[in-house]
Amino acid sequence: MDSSREIIKNKNNAKAGKQMLIGLHLGNGYGSQPGAWRMPGVDPKNYTSFDARVKQAQAAERGKFQFIFLPDGPGAMLTDLETESPSFNLDVMLTLAAVARETKRIGLVATGSTTFNEPFNLARQFKALDVMSHGRAGWNAVTSSGEDVAANYGRRIPSSEERYGRAHETVQLIQELWGSWGKEAWVHNQESGQFAKKEQVVPINYKGKFVGSRGPLYIPPSEQGQPIIFHAGGSPNAHELAGRFANVVIGAAFTIEDARAQRNAFREAAKRYGRNPDEIKYIPGLMTTIAKERRTALDRRIKLTEGLIPQRAAYLQQMLGIPLDLSRLNEPLSKEQLDAARPSPYDPRSRHALKVAKEGWSLRNIIAHGVIDYHPVIVGPGIEAADHMQAWFEAGAADGFWISPDINEDGIDAFVDEVVPILQERGLFHQEYEGKTLRENLGAPDQYGVDSRVSTRRNETPEISNN
Ligand SMILES: Cc1cc2nc3c(=O)[nH]c(=O)nc-3n(C[C@H](O)[C@H](O)[C@H](O)COP(=O)(O)O)c2cc1C
């Protein structure tokens, strides 16, 4: 098949929802493993380097990733500064502004707290970024839940009811502000002298229980109209917020069963708001250490996490329910230990940890498989990542994945060169960007202003539980 026909075929698959989405986690500039900043070839000053972020986003764009995803507190996220970098960007919007100027297609998604920001500020920054990037912005609208973050605002974390109540109002208000500059209002006709159709740029006069704004917001539509809403969270209140507003959910799940249940919960919530469940894509995380051989990948992980091994081994005891001898890190678990081991029902990673232990790896190597991390971890050749992604995707557990490479410096390229081609060959991932905007590349429906199906100006205030 010639390449233009191949692209058309992929376009059709994407439209039919048959291809997965891939995002790149871009945090502190080093990678997802704590020791990444000290690895050979890594500039230890990347924490403050906008050039490094640009380079990393460009690497993801080379691999046709649909978006980069920047988490944010804002705070340091519980790292020990003595030995570790903070987890986040210096400022997510400034990073994305720099990346916008040096990339062409990749979506730019930043986290912005609905708990501690004024909606007008968020509306303005995200729409300006959307215009600047020619329609590639996404807003990960989250509620903040860390007291360390609250302390930066001189506050305490409000109740869930209050956080999600404010979140619902904030997203609606912001979308109303985005729509307050009419879609066709900007005339900029030098001959007639008409700059804009004044009557189409109107105040919104939103006054809710938690937030308010008069408006309008003086920003015309971007090429995709307005930014895409993302959400990250897993509670029933998160399902409700995302089901109402989000096109993409950044998730975290360790098993296919859990991911499928989460995906279904978000899809059901979308249906309750009269939306088509395919309008919301569930994207769980995947951490990667990709190398041609499993042994090379394991050695890389061991080097990265050396200092954490005793702590992780101690935790592994609880996951497996057996005592482990930390002085015998280089030996496999004995038959007696394996027979006595019982995966902890309190940690969804435990079954996988036991499976790895039963393969006969040493204690050090079991840990190097990433059995104790924030997401499922692939430590090995690219095909293992592709197999994992295909299995989850085809089981209805994921619409795509957000990838956290161990070390960004070469880990993004490893994924792009070793995993992406396999997924493309299998018809599971697009060969080329479908369009210029994030909306087109996600297959998200057109929207400008608030979606009338979910607006409280028409409906009742949604139910928010106080758990
Ligand atoms: C995968 C994932 C990513 C998240 N990323 C962020 C983030 O970048 N910043 C943030 O403040 N909260 C983040 N959160 C936290 C959620 O927004 C939320 O505060 C937390 O899950 C508690 O929510 P709950 O009150 O609904 O239980 C994330 C949550 C998940 C599951």
Tab-separated table of all heavy atoms in Angstrom, residues 69 71-73 111 142-145 160 163-164 232-235 238 250-252 402, ligand 1:
chain	number	residue	atom	x	y	z
A	69	PHE	N	2.038	16.012	28.769
A	69	PHE	CA	1.202	16.259	29.949
A	69	PHE	C	2.096	16.740	31.093
A	69	PHE	O	3.037	16.050	31.485
A	69	PHE	CB	0.460	14.969	30.338
A	69	PHE	CG	-0.043	14.959	31.748
A	69	PHE	CD1	-0.973	15.900	32.170
A	69	PHE	CD2	0.404	14.023	32.667
A	69	PHE	CE1	-1.438	15.912	33.480
A	69	PHE	CE2	-0.046	14.018	33.978
A	69	PHE	CZ	-0.976	14.966	34.382
A	71	PRO	N	2.124	17.594	34.903
A	71	PRO	CA	1.445	17.648	36.198
A	71	PRO	C	1.881	18.898	36.953
A	71	PRO	O	2.868	19.533	36.597
A	71	PRO	CB	1.928	16.387	36.915
A	71	PRO	CG	3.124	15.918	36.186
A	71	PRO	CD	3.181	16.605	34.855
A	72	ASP	N	1.122	19.247	37.967
A	72	ASP	CA	1.519	20.419	38.751
A	72	ASP	C	0.829	20.388	40.097
A	72	ASP	O	-0.277	19.863	40.208
A	72	ASP	CB	1.133	21.702	38.004
A	72	ASP	CG	1.940	22.888	38.488
A	72	ASP	OD1	3.033	22.681	39.059
A	72	ASP	OD2	1.492	24.026	38.308
A	73	GLY	N	1.462	20.952	41.104
A	73	GLY	CA	0.884	21.022	42.439
A	73	GLY	C	0.066	22.283	42.619
A	73	GLY	O	-1.153	22.212	42.669
A	111	THR	N	-1.550	21.064	33.947
A	111	THR	CA	-2.458	20.959	35.083
A	111	THR	C	-2.680	22.338	35.687
A	111	THR	O	-1.731	23.111	35.845
A	111	THR	CB	-1.835	20.014	36.133
A	111	THR	OG1	-1.620	18.748	35.500
A	111	THR	CG2	-2.736	19.845	37.334
A	142	VAL	N	-7.929	19.926	37.708
A	142	VAL	CA	-7.938	19.036	38.879
A	142	VAL	C	-8.342	19.801	40.130
A	142	VAL	O	-8.254	21.028	40.178
A	142	VAL	CB	-6.547	18.393	39.150
A	142	VAL	CG1	-6.095	17.557	37.957
A	142	VAL	CG2	-5.502	19.436	39.516
A	143	THR	N	-8.776	19.030	41.121
A	143	THR	CA	-8.917	19.607	42.450
A	143	THR	C	-7.613	19.321	43.194
A	143	THR	O	-7.017	18.267	42.990
A	143	THR	CB	-10.083	18.959	43.225
A	143	THR	OG1	-9.786	17.573	43.401
A	143	THR	CG2	-11.396	19.108	42.466
A	144	SER	N	-7.171	20.233	44.005
A	144	SER	CA	-5.947	19.998	44.787
A	144	SER	C	-6.294	19.240	46.041
A	144	SER	O	-7.330	19.485	46.658
A	144	SER	CB	-5.294	21.324	45.174
A	144	SER	OG	-4.891	22.000	44.024
A	145	SER	N	-5.396	18.310	46.424
A	145	SER	CA	-5.705	17.540	47.625
A	145	SER	C	-4.556	17.505	48.625
A	145	SER	O	-4.678	16.887	49.676
A	145	SER	CB	-6.115	16.114	47.236
A	145	SER	OG	-5.131	15.561	46.393
A	160	SER	N	-14.027	17.632	50.289
A	160	SER	CA	-14.200	17.163	48.907
A	160	SER	C	-15.420	17.832	48.280
A	160	SER	O	-15.401	18.250	47.118
A	160	SER	CB	-14.367	15.636	48.913
A	160	SER	OG	-14.552	15.162	47.618
A	163	ARG	N	-14.379	21.254	47.292
A	163	ARG	CA	-13.403	21.263	46.183
A	163	ARG	C	-14.091	20.948	44.860
A	163	ARG	O	-13.860	21.602	43.852
A	163	ARG	CB	-12.296	20.239	46.442
A	163	ARG	CG	-11.320	20.691	47.506
A	163	ARG	CD	-10.156	19.733	47.634
A	163	ARG	NE	-10.535	18.430	48.150
A	163	ARG	CZ	-10.328	17.279	47.525
A	163	ARG	NH1	-9.740	17.253	46.347
A	163	ARG	NH2	-10.703	16.145	48.064
A	164	TYR	N	-14.929	19.920	44.879
A	164	TYR	CA	-15.577	19.545	43.620
A	164	TYR	C	-16.702	20.516	43.255
A	164	TYR	O	-16.966	20.742	42.071
A	164	TYR	CB	-16.035	18.084	43.657
A	164	TYR	CG	-14.861	17.174	43.363
A	164	TYR	CD1	-14.084	16.636	44.382
A	164	TYR	CD2	-14.488	16.923	42.048
A	164	TYR	CE1	-12.974	15.844	44.112
A	164	TYR	CE2	-13.377	16.127	41.757
A	164	TYR	CZ	-12.628	15.593	42.787
A	164	TYR	OH	-11.526	14.824	42.494
A	232	ALA	N	-7.718	14.542	36.021
A	232	ALA	CA	-6.974	13.442	36.653
A	232	ALA	C	-7.552	13.228	38.041
A	232	ALA	O	-7.566	14.155	38.846
A	232	ALA	CB	-5.490	13.786	36.750
A	233	GLY	N	-8.019	12.029	38.287
A	233	GLY	CA	-8.587	11.713	39.594
A	233	GLY	C	-9.320	10.388	39.494
A	233	GLY	O	-9.504	9.869	38.392
A	234	GLY	N	-9.721	9.832	40.619
A	234	GLY	CA	-10.335	8.512	40.552
A	234	GLY	C	-11.566	8.340	41.428
A	234	GLY	O	-12.210	7.297	41.387
A	235	SER	N	-11.916	9.348	42.222
A	235	SER	CA	-13.038	9.185	43.149
A	235	SER	C	-14.377	9.353	42.415
A	235	SER	O	-14.403	9.853	41.291
A	235	SER	CB	-12.929	10.239	44.249
A	235	SER	OG	-13.129	11.531	43.682
A	238	ALA	N	-14.693	12.650	41.093
A	238	ALA	CA	-13.860	12.857	39.894
A	238	ALA	C	-14.574	12.315	38.657
A	238	ALA	O	-14.552	12.931	37.590
A	238	ALA	CB	-12.505	12.170	40.074
A	250	ILE	N	-6.621	11.482	32.648
A	250	ILE	CA	-5.290	10.969	32.960
A	250	ILE	C	-5.465	10.059	34.171
A	250	ILE	O	-5.844	10.533	35.248
A	250	ILE	CB	-4.344	12.138	33.328
A	250	ILE	CG1	-4.219	13.123	32.158
A	250	ILE	CG2	-3.006	11.651	33.828
A	250	ILE	CD1	-3.356	12.654	31.035
A	251	GLY	N	-5.238	8.766	33.983
A	251	GLY	CA	-5.558	7.823	35.051
A	251	GLY	C	-4.344	7.109	35.613
A	251	GLY	O	-3.208	7.307	35.156
A	252	ALA	N	-4.617	6.290	36.606
A	252	ALA	CA	-3.579	5.446	37.212
A	252	ALA	C	-4.234	4.125	37.568
A	252	ALA	O	-5.208	4.111	38.321
A	252	ALA	CB	-3.012	6.117	38.451
A	402	TRP	N	-0.329	7.400	29.033
A	402	TRP	CA	0.661	8.464	29.211
A	402	TRP	C	1.935	7.807	29.717
A	402	TRP	O	1.941	7.018	30.640
A	402	TRP	CB	0.157	9.615	30.069
A	402	TRP	CG	-0.304	9.327	31.467
A	402	TRP	CD1	-1.426	8.658	31.845
A	402	TRP	CD2	0.341	9.761	32.686
A	402	TRP	NE1	-1.536	8.632	33.214
A	402	TRP	CE2	-0.466	9.312	33.759
A	402	TRP	CE3	1.491	10.485	32.969
A	402	TRP	CZ2	-0.156	9.554	35.086
A	402	TRP	CZ3	1.811	10.730	34.298
A	402	TRP	CH2	0.995	10.265	35.334
B	1	LIG	C1	-3.066	10.004	37.466
B	1	LIG	C2	-3.329	11.179	38.350
B	1	LIG	C3	-2.619	12.351	38.119
B	1	LIG	C4	-2.830	13.463	38.938
B	1	LIG	N1	-2.146	14.607	38.693
B	1	LIG	C5	-2.324	15.660	39.524
B	1	LIG	C6	-1.569	16.851	39.357
B	1	LIG	O1	-0.773	16.976	38.441
B	1	LIG	N2	-1.763	17.856	40.237
B	1	LIG	C7	-2.661	17.771	41.267
B	1	LIG	O2	-2.811	18.718	42.028
B	1	LIG	N3	-3.385	16.659	41.449
B	1	LIG	C8	-3.228	15.616	40.608
B	1	LIG	N4	-3.953	14.482	40.816
B	1	LIG	C9	-4.824	14.432	42.013
B	1	LIG	C10	-6.281	14.639	41.759
B	1	LIG	O3	-6.540	15.812	41.108
B	1	LIG	C11	-7.063	14.620	43.062
B	1	LIG	O4	-6.778	15.707	43.855
B	1	LIG	C12	-6.744	13.427	43.882
B	1	LIG	O5	-6.856	12.295	43.065
B	1	LIG	C13	-7.746	13.307	45.057
B	1	LIG	O6	-8.992	13.335	44.502
B	1	LIG	P1	-10.314	12.971	45.254
B	1	LIG	O7	-10.587	14.067	46.199
B	1	LIG	O8	-11.324	12.933	44.142
B	1	LIG	O9	-10.142	11.659	45.896
B	1	LIG	C14	-3.771	13.384	40.004
B	1	LIG	C15	-4.490	12.196	40.204
B	1	LIG	C16	-4.293	11.111	39.379
B	1	LIG	C17	-5.086	9.862	39.616
